[in-house]
Amino acid sequence: MTNTAVDTKRIIVALDFPDVPTARQLVAQLDPSLCRVKIGKELFTRCGPSFVEELVSQGFDVFLDLKYHDIPNTVAKAVSAAAQLGVWMVNVHASGGRAMMTAAREAVEASAHKPLLIAVTVLTSMAQSDLLEVGVNGTPEEQVLKLARLSQDCGMDGVVCSAAETSILASQLGKDFVLVTPGIRPAGDAANDQKRIVTPVDAIAAGSHYLVIGRPISQAANPGEKLKTILAQLDGKIGNLC
Ligand code: C5P
């Protein structure tokens, strides 16, 4: 396992924007010493690696959320390319299987810069009926645990998980297995399209290491201040809760 020291910089701000100028407007209001940022498929597909490099050069830790899922060789090459961009975290789909995750791990180990390697278990958009249609008979919870165990066995540093799964995964997989949790809403904020939300404090208390937060920060009147307000809520709690 590499680079897993859990630190106090727990918030990953999701840069869910269609273009670089809009993303830059938010980034300009964020302090890289207080948060990390996440680039997903939309922004990356539109803007490519140069914006990732721009953020890295500004001192931001970048989570490149591209959820690789392909044959082992292809995923390993993609993970190597992400590592060369200098990203802090990269992810793959656990359902790509042992050989694919092992190849991804080997690619990180062979890289000069070693990002955290995280797996996606079951997409939270999938219900039991969706799993049945793709040949999975267990409940979503059973499948999440099964894939999280496999991910750990293959040397992944952690998994992305919903707030509902955080406690069970933290208790079953140990405190060093990194849990990255979206669906976070500070008390009083709009849920938007998220169904099961938890507050930052509750997510950390349940064992989450990193909180992915998008709209509560990006749509705030003053994103930099909103980030500081959330950090103040966590202040003093992180050490006690880890
Ligand atoms: O705006 P909001 O805080 O809901 O954004 C959450 C971010 O986390 C988005 O980038 C979304 O794609 C991502 N995410 C999620 N639920 C998951 C996995 C990722 O909301 N299960």
Side-chain angles (χ1 to χ4, degrees):
M1 200 180 285
T2 54
N3 191 23
T4 51
V6 170
D7 52 46
T8 53
K9 213 163 67 172
R10 304 290 196 103
I11 295 179
I12 303 172
V13 180
L15 303 181
D16 292 326
F17 298 109
D19 57 71
V20 166
T22 320
R24 272 196 196 118
Q25 277 174 22
L26 173 62
V27 167
Q29 299 178 66
L30 300 175
D31 179 343
S33 70
L34 297 180
C35 67
R36 298 179 154 99
V37 292
K38 177 172 91 72
I39 293 188
K41 288 192 173 86
E42 181 188 11
L43 189 57
F44 189 81
T45 302
R46 290 194 184 277
C47 309
S50 62
F51 187 56
V52 176
E53 290 172 310
E54 178 180 320
L55 293 175
V56 170
S57 72
Q58 287 173 18
F60 282 98
D61 288 339
V62 177
F63 172 16
L64 190 60
D65 180 19
L66 298 182
K67 302 184 180 70
Y68 298 129
H69 188 177
D70 210 312
I71 60 171
N73 182 59
T74 302
V75 167
K77 294 273 167 49
V79 166
S80 293
Q84 279 170 31
L85 291 178
V87 302
W88 160 75
M89 178 180 280
V90 63
N91 59 1
V92 300
H93 267 285
S95 51
R98 181 179 293 280
M100 190 205 79
M101 284 193 278
T102 303
R105 175 84 263 161
E106 287 168 2
V108 167
E109 292 310 310
S111 301
H113 171 75
K114 301 185 194 336
L116 284 172
L117 185 57
I118 299 293
V120 175
T121 57
V122 177
L123 294 170
T124 48
S125 53
M126 295 189 84
Q128 179 114 43
S129 54
D130 301 303
L131 289 181
L132 267 175
E133 275 189 335
V134 295
V136 175
N137 295 314
T139 65
E141 293 72 25
E142 287 165 348
Q143 186 66 4
V144 165
L145 193 53
K146 192 175 188 175
L147 288 175
R149 285 193 199 287
L150 177 65
S151 303
Q152 191 173 44
D153 204 37
C154 294
M156 300 299 100
D157 293 308
V159 290
V160 179
C161 69
S162 78
E165 298 151 359
T166 308
S167 313
I168 179 85
L169 292 180
S171 70
Q172 297 279 316
L173 301 170
K175 68 178 177 50
D176 291 336
F177 195 59
V178 172
L179 303 179
V180 180
T181 311
I184 305 292
R185 289 293 178 271
D189 273 45
N192 309 113
D193 53 357
Q194 298 282 9
K195 297 267 181 332
R196 287 169 304 180
I197 54 174
V198 293
T199 65
V201 170
D202 288 347
I204 296 285
S208 181
H209 298 75
Y210 298 109
L211 315 177
V212 176
I213 306 181
R215 287 160 290 182
I217 292 175
S218 62
Q219 307 298 314
N222 185 329
E225 284 307 313
K226 185 65 183 268
L227 172 65
K228 285 180 187 157
T229 301
I230 300 171
L231 289 172
Q233 291 163 4
L234 294 177
D235 193 31
K237 301 215 164 52
I238 290 174
N240 300 333
L241 296 171
C242 291

